Amino acid sequence: MKATTCITLFNLALLAKKMKTLTSEHIAKIMIRTTNWLGDAVMTTPAMAQIRASFPEAEIVVIANPLVAQLFTCHPDCDRVLIFDKRSKDRGITGFLRFSQQLRREQFDLALLFQNAIEGALMAFLAGIPRRGGYPTDGRMLLINYRSPMTTATKELHHTDYYLQMLAGLGLEGSRPPLRLASTEMELQQAHEILGGGRWIAINPGASYGSAKRWFPERFAAVADQLAEKHQARIVLIGGPGEQQIGHDIAIKMEQPVLNLIGKTSVRDMIAAISCCSLIITNDSGPMHVAAAVGTPIVAIFGPTDHTTTSPLTTDFTLIRKPTPCAPCLLRQCPKDHQCMTAITADEVFAAADAMLGAR
């Protein structure tokens, strides 16, 4: 055989290897390393549905921190959740290596990395997972062997499309499924028992990323009072343990009765409570995306964050934001006058919420 023929056959073999897609291989067990933020994790659920559609017989196991894990303990596109708690049992290099060895015993066929950090790729590599797919970000080029192309346009996609595009780059293409979360009948029943009868409006005044994303307690209180009076509605405050002071500040300023559940519920309880509400008024945060996933109408207040990439993926929402020269800055704390938030008045938010409630 001539040398040129050998070279041609070698090039064809390389091309065939590059064209090989995940769907052409036998995949029985999949590890998904999800993101560490609640809202981002909710926005991965369409991609999870795509994975399920691509590998309907495979077992899908999600790796998540303790908070995010609660999203997937009852989810149709997840068979099991393994908790990676690097603040406790999996702390430090020893904990990380021990957890990676636990994953090795699982004998996964494929790892799909929604988390952009090198951590997930190193974890999958040490676990001996033969197929490791994701974006080549954070210096992990050599740790993943199925790489989805990363371009400037990719970075500008809505987060939901960002994760779907990652899969498309690996050969797992399909339609754009909706966000999806699920509650059990018992969880919904317990939520109804806690809330009681009547029409409920949820107020989510926190945002775990930083104070710059938070609208002002006194304005939330003013809007809640007006809505409660006009629509004979009941008000429930929701949020995490680190936001209890914000809830207290709102409750003491309100004239109408309010049920303050901030810091008193699990993520599972929060999902069920939001499902029972007629409307949620919220900052750009995890509960906003939870509401979109369970079909609760939303009034979303945006300040320093980019609404083109993190707006709620639903048609039943009103987005309120004020264009300012410095927004979106994506900063945790505002170094200036917080103009993007101070410019949003209570009257504007009330009008948006009033219109949505009236339409329903």
Side-chain angles (χ1 to χ4, degrees):
M1 184 180 292
K2 293 182 179 180
T4 54
T5 304
C6 290
I7 292 172
T8 301
L9 291 174
F10 179 71
N11 288 338
L12 287 174
L14 283 178
L15 181 61
K17 186 176 181 180
K18 288 180 180 179
M19 292 176 64
K20 191 176 183 182
T21 63
L22 289 171
T23 51
S24 67
E25 303 186 35
H26 176 68
I27 305 291
K29 195 170 184 179
I30 301 170
M31 181 195 100
I32 296 176
R33 178 57 172 108
T34 194
T35 65
N36 288 327
W37 294 96
L38 204 68
D40 287 351
V42 175
M43 289 187 281
T44 69
T45 58
M48 289 179 59
Q50 182 58 47
I51 295 167
R52 177 69 85 189
S54 300
F55 303 103
E57 302 302 320
E59 181 185 14
I60 298 174
V61 181
V62 170
I63 311 300
N65 65 38
L67 189 71
V68 171
Q70 294 182 58
L71 292 175
F72 302 114
T73 54
C74 174
H75 196 280
D77 299 317
C78 170
D79 297 301
R80 281 191 294 134
V81 180
L82 294 177
I83 296 176
F84 175 60
D85 188 357
K86 63 181 181 182
R87 294 185 177 180
S88 182
K89 67 180 181 66
D90 303 312
R91 180 184 302 152
I93 294 176
T94 301
F96 181 82
L97 293 175
R98 184 171 54 244
F99 187 81
S100 298
Q101 286 303 306
Q102 177 186 343
L103 295 182
R104 181 178 283 273
R105 291 191 291 271
E106 293 276 352
Q107 297 185 315
F108 290 104
D109 299 302
L110 168 65
L112 292 171
L113 309 173
F114 291 146
Q115 182 196 36
N116 285 324
I118 195 171
E119 175 192 88
L122 182 59
M123 181 186 292
F125 178 80
L126 294 175
I129 302 174
R131 305 167 187 86
R132 303 176 298 277
Y135 286 120
T137 55
D138 201 36
R140 59 188 192 171
M141 175 76 76
L142 298 179
L143 294 173
I144 56 176
N145 51 10
Y146 284 79
R147 304 179 191 106
S148 190
M150 170 67 77
T151 66
T152 300
T154 306
K155 298 176 183 178
E156 295 174 352
L157 291 171
H158 188 281
H159 282 9
T160 298
D161 294 317
Y162 177 84
Y163 301 119
L164 287 169
Q165 182 61 41
M166 187 197 91
L167 297 182
L170 303 175
L172 308 181
E173 292 190 81
S175 59
R176 192 200 209 197
L179 301 178
R180 190 176 185 186
L181 292 175
S183 295
T184 66
E185 288 297 324
M186 181 175 292
E187 287 170 342
L188 291 172
Q189 180 180 342
Q190 289 175 342
H192 282 294
E193 289 174 357
I194 291 171
L195 295 176
R199 189 182 211 182
W200 284 91
I201 298 170
I203 303 291
N204 172 49
S208 58
Y209 183 74
S211 61
K213 293 174 68 174
R214 298 173 189 153
W215 201 44
F216 308 105
E218 65 275 11
R219 298 188 189 185
F220 274 118
V223 172
D225 272 338
Q226 292 180 76
L227 292 173
E229 183 174 2
K230 180 171 182 179
H231 293 275
Q232 290 77 55
R234 305 175 74 182
I235 305 298
V236 58
L237 306 181
I238 61 168
E243 298 160 354
Q244 289 177 311
Q245 184 60 49
I246 304 171
H248 174 75
D249 291 343
I250 292 173
I252 62 173
K253 292 179 185 302
M254 285 188 61
E255 297 178 0
Q256 298 290 329
V258 58
L259 176 61
N260 185 2
L261 295 181
I262 293 180
K264 301 175 183 177
T265 62
S266 67
V267 171
R268 301 294 314 161
D269 295 333
M270 178 194 69
I271 295 171
I274 291 174
S275 300
C276 297
C277 291
S278 299
L279 180 74
I280 183 170
I281 303 173
T282 174
N283 299 316
D284 176 18
S285 61
M288 177 188 75
H289 296 291
V290 168
V294 300
T296 299
I298 302 164
V299 174
I301 302 169
F302 272 67
T305 49
D306 188 352
H307 66 288
T308 65
T309 60
T310 61
S311 59
L313 192 67
T314 174
T315 57
D316 205 358
F317 82 100
T318 299
L319 191 146
I320 301 178
R321 64 180 293 270
K322 295 292 185 180
T324 57
C326 52
C329 67
L330 308 182
L331 296 176
R332 291 175 180 263
Q333 286 86 33
C334 179
K336 300 172 65 177
D337 56 3
H338 214 182
Q339 184 181 357
C340 62
M341 282 299 198
T342 57
I344 297 173
T345 67
D347 287 342
E348 289 177 279
V349 176
F350 168 76
D354 182 43
M356 295 192 76
L357 288 169
R360 295 178 65 84

